[in-house]
């Protein structure tokens, strides 16, 4: 099993920045992909893939965050971060970290980001 713990969620004003972190632990034996989903309030069945990063550092982003969010990882520490700039009210959501070890997907519990004045 793999456990994922997110941190860094907070209340922030529009235009502000936040940095989310996710630490993975457990049975991590090799290469994997990591990333972030988000789930907006009232949309319990819709999960948006925000950003992902491969083991070798290739990244991709959803169009809604491209140019504003940056994903990074530390393979030695099994961590992935999401730097979020120029935040908008529509970025309000629970942000959920994932790890895919090419066999299974593992999800964290999520951290809440609220963008509001």
């Amino acid at each position: 099993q793999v456990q994922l713990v997110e941190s860094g969620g907070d209340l922030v004003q529009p235009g502000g920045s936040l940095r989310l972190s996710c630490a993975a632990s457990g049975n991590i034996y090799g290469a994997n992909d990591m990333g972030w989903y988000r789930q907006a309030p009232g949309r319990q069945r819709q999960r948006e893939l925000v950003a992902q990063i491969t083991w070798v550092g290739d990244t991709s982003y959803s169009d809604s965050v491209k140019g504003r969010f940056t994903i990074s990882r530390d393979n030695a520490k099994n961590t992935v971060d999401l730097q979020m700039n120029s935040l908008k009210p529509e970025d309000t959501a629970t942000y959920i970290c994932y790890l895919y070890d090419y066999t299974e997907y593992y999800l964290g519990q999520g951290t809440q980001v609220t963008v509001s004045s």
Side-chain angles (χ1 to χ4, degrees):
Q1 282 293 327
V2 173
Q3 294 78 42
L4 299 166
V5 178
E6 303 96 335
S7 61
D10 206 345
L11 170 64
V12 62
Q13 292 188 344
S17 298
L18 276 178
R19 189 175 185 87
L20 305 183
S21 295
C22 173
S25 61
N27 298 334
I28 304 170
Y29 296 118
N32 53 71
D33 295 345
M34 297 186 77
W36 294 88
Y37 288 99
R38 69 183 179 187
Q39 198 160 293
R43 298 185 179 181
Q44 297 304 312
R45 296 184 181 274
Q46 289 183 301
R47 189 177 289 161
E48 177 188 7
L49 178 58
V50 173
Q52 53 188 330
I53 184 167
T54 67
W55 182 255
V56 297
D58 295 328
T59 61
S60 62
Y61 301 90
S62 67
D63 288 343
S64 61
V65 307
K66 199 171 296 183
R68 300 187 296 122
F69 291 11
T70 303
I71 190 170
S72 59
R73 67 182 294 164
D74 185 329
N75 291 341
K77 297 180 179 179
N78 293 317
T79 59
V80 62
D81 290 350
L82 186 68
Q83 177 66 42
M84 307 187 295
N85 298 328
S86 303
L87 283 162
K88 305 175 182 179
E90 51 263 43
D91 293 319
T92 295
T94 299
Y95 285 72
I96 302 163
C97 172
Y98 80 86
L99 182 149
Y100 176 54
D101 65 3
Y102 311 127
T103 300
E104 289 190 51
Y105 273 97
Y106 299 94
L107 298 176
Q109 293 297 308
T111 185
Q112 179 65 37
V113 172
T114 302
V115 185
S116 175
S117 56

